[in-house]
Amino acid sequence: MELWPAPLAVGPVTGTIALPGSKSITNRAYILAAQAPSPSILTNALRSRDTDLMAAALQALGTEVAFTGETTVTVTGGPLHGGAVDCGLAGTVMRFLPSLAAGAHGTVEFDGDPQARARPLGTILDALRGLGARIDGDGLPFAVHGDGPIRGGTVTIDASASSQFVSGLLLCAPSFVEGVVVHHDGKPVPSMPHIDMTVDMLRTAGAQVDTSEANTWRVAPGGIRAHDWTVEPDLSNATVFLAAAAVTGGAVTVPHWNRASTQPGVQFADILTAMGAGVSYADGAITARGTGALHGVDWDLRDIGELTPTVAALAALADSPSQLRGIAHLRGHETDRLAALTAEITALGGRCAETEDGLHIEPATLHGGVWHSYADHRMATAGAILGLVTEGVQVEDIATTGKTMPDFPALWNALLGNRS
């Protein structure tokens, strides 16, 4: 597979980077819009592999998706029929769409990339069976046999492997005859900000959601209305560019940074500060400044696990040890991110070891080499960060960043002042 020479920064990285919309918000907005009785308009919608897969899947089932510009799309719901869904590697497609497909008239067949067949799906599929859905299979490929809206009701699940199991049930609950009550029973749910995002967006779209009881979410049937969504920039993608300032002693500004956002990326500012970088806000933008020092941290990343590859890259360049905790669930992401980060940091001369629920990273001098991406977009961008200050890093399959960030290499090179 083609290797991408990660650009070496010749000095402090400085500049302003405007980023495309959030994948998480875009794909949730798609699902909600598909259930509305009239058209919804998404502005600043992300166009990436994951979101294009969601749009194509909805179209395959009978939803009208019409782009009137590169990032403006009108979604018109209607009766759903059977069809074929390509999930790629998108967790939001494979875990959000089965609930919608359960209410279609006809059979919906799901499949995806070879790597996706190892991702855990039994929790959401079993939950849907308990709510009245007919499903063949416990992982990709599987088939959902729809005959109109499913009953819904009360279900208890263990969502400790992924918050997407909860979101996948809640997002389509207004279309269930009885709505849904989801109880979580197990270890703490990771990535809770993503569930908060789901709840906020459901309420914005008119659904009644009760979260007054711990580990329980109640969604009443009906209530979904059309809503015109303005999608925030993807703050998790933004962290990679802010990290560039931290490791090179530069200053990078990201506009339209919503400090009240439910996106996990908003918490990265606190991590940067703890690691010794400067963070400031002005005119709705965030600026990260490198100070010439980068310190290790002891941080529980359970709620913001998707930031782990970025934080691990910073930790590998820090002057003291880091303990990254609460992220055992990352073993079930696009790849086993804990094993992947350990292998790749170690291969470049770093000192990284897995713990029961995370990573322990010690200071070490890195050297060049191949950084494998494992078809994981956040692994690829972590390699780009290390390559800023480590000569000779080559990232395998940089194109995988297209999952959530179209043309990442061009954005990265532009920030570094390179022409290509």
Side-chain angles (χ1 to χ4, degrees):
M1 192 168 290
E2 186 175 353
L3 299 178
W4 178 70
L8 186 71
V10 297
V13 173
T14 61
T16 297
I17 183 82
L19 293 171
S22 161
K23 176 203 73 174
S24 298
I25 295 175
T26 298
N27 274 355
R28 283 165 172 78
Y30 269 131
I31 292 286
L32 294 171
Q35 299 173 78
S38 56
S40 301
I41 299 174
L42 283 60
T43 302
N44 198 41
L46 175 66
R47 294 298 305 274
S48 71
R49 187 183 185 217
D50 276 19
T51 58
D52 285 349
L53 285 168
M54 180 67 83
L58 291 176
Q59 288 177 309
L61 303 187
T63 298
E64 183 179 336
V65 180
F67 285 91
T68 55
E70 181 60 28
T71 61
T72 301
V73 56
T74 300
V75 182
T76 306
L80 300 177
H81 52 67
V85 170
D86 177 9
C87 300
L89 266 176
T92 51
V93 177
M94 67 185 73
R95 291 169 178 161
F96 291 179
L97 266 177
S99 297
L100 194 66
H105 290 274
T107 296
V108 181
E109 298 180 344
F110 288 77
D111 205 351
D113 293 357
Q115 300 96 324
R117 295 184 176 186
R119 298 195 70 177
L121 293 174
T123 299
I124 185 76
L125 300 182
D126 286 344
L128 286 170
R129 290 186 182 102
L131 296 172
R134 294 186 297 121
I135 302 173
D136 294 336
D138 297 310
L140 289 172
F142 63 89
V144 180
H145 305 288
D147 190 25
I150 63 172
R151 180 187 72 253
T154 300
V155 66
T156 298
I157 66 173
D158 180 354
S160 58
S162 174
S163 67
Q164 289 178 346
F165 296 141
V166 176
S167 290
L169 294 171
L170 301 185
L171 282 166
C172 296
S175 295
F176 300 166
V177 175
E178 300 176 10
V180 80
V181 179
V182 179
H183 297 287
H184 163 66
D185 184 12
K187 295 179 180 179
V189 180
S191 302
M192 280 296 295
H194 278 130
I195 297 179
D196 295 338
M197 177 189 295
T198 296
V199 169
D200 285 352
M201 292 183 68
L202 275 163
R203 287 172 173 160
T204 299
Q208 296 181 23
V209 187
D210 180 355
T211 58
S212 59
E213 184 180 346
N215 292 318
T216 301
W217 299 266
R218 292 178 171 85
V219 181
I224 289 289
R225 59 175 181 261
H227 181 78
D228 292 343
W229 302 92
T230 298
V231 180
E232 297 176 2
D234 193 310
L235 304 190
S236 292
N237 283 341
T239 64
V240 180
F241 298 90
L242 299 175
V247 303
T248 65
V252 172
T253 298
V254 176
H256 310 298
W257 183 275
N258 178 10
R259 296 177 69 179
S261 176
T262 54
Q263 292 188 61
V266 76
Q267 299 184 41
F268 186 65
D270 295 333
I271 299 175
L272 276 179
T273 301
M275 298 190 84
V279 174
S280 60
Y281 303 91
D283 301 322
I286 185 174
T287 298
R289 291 180 173 83
T291 61
L294 200 60
H295 312 307
V297 289
D298 184 340
W299 209 276
D300 188 337
L301 293 168
R302 181 184 308 278
D303 284 345
I304 52 175
E306 65 188 53
L307 305 186
T308 300
T310 299
V311 178
L314 292 176
L317 299 171
D319 58 13
S320 58
S322 291
Q323 190 75 28
L324 309 183
R325 299 178 283 107
I327 44 177
H329 61 282
L330 295 189
R331 295 187 170 100
H333 274 223
E334 282 88 338
T335 185
D336 179 341
R337 282 182 174 163
L338 301 188
L341 286 165
T342 298
E344 299 311 305
I345 291 173
T346 300
L348 297 188
R351 299 172 62 190
C352 179
E354 285 190 60
T355 64
E356 181 180 354
D357 73 337
L359 298 171
H360 181 78
I361 302 173
E362 296 272 353
T365 300
L366 302 186
H367 56 69
V370 175
W371 176 274
H372 297 93
S373 69
Y374 304 81
D376 184 333
H377 58 132
R378 301 205 191 279
M379 283 295 299
T381 54
I385 293 169
L386 295 176
L388 287 172
V389 292
T390 307
E391 188 172 3
V393 174
Q394 298 182 83
V395 179
E396 172 233 15
D397 189 20
I398 194 65
T400 195
T401 55
K403 175 182 173 68
T404 60
M405 198 169 358
D407 208 3
F408 166 76
L411 290 171
W412 196 246
N413 276 302
L415 183 66
L416 270 60
N418 298 335
R419 292 186 177 181
S420 60

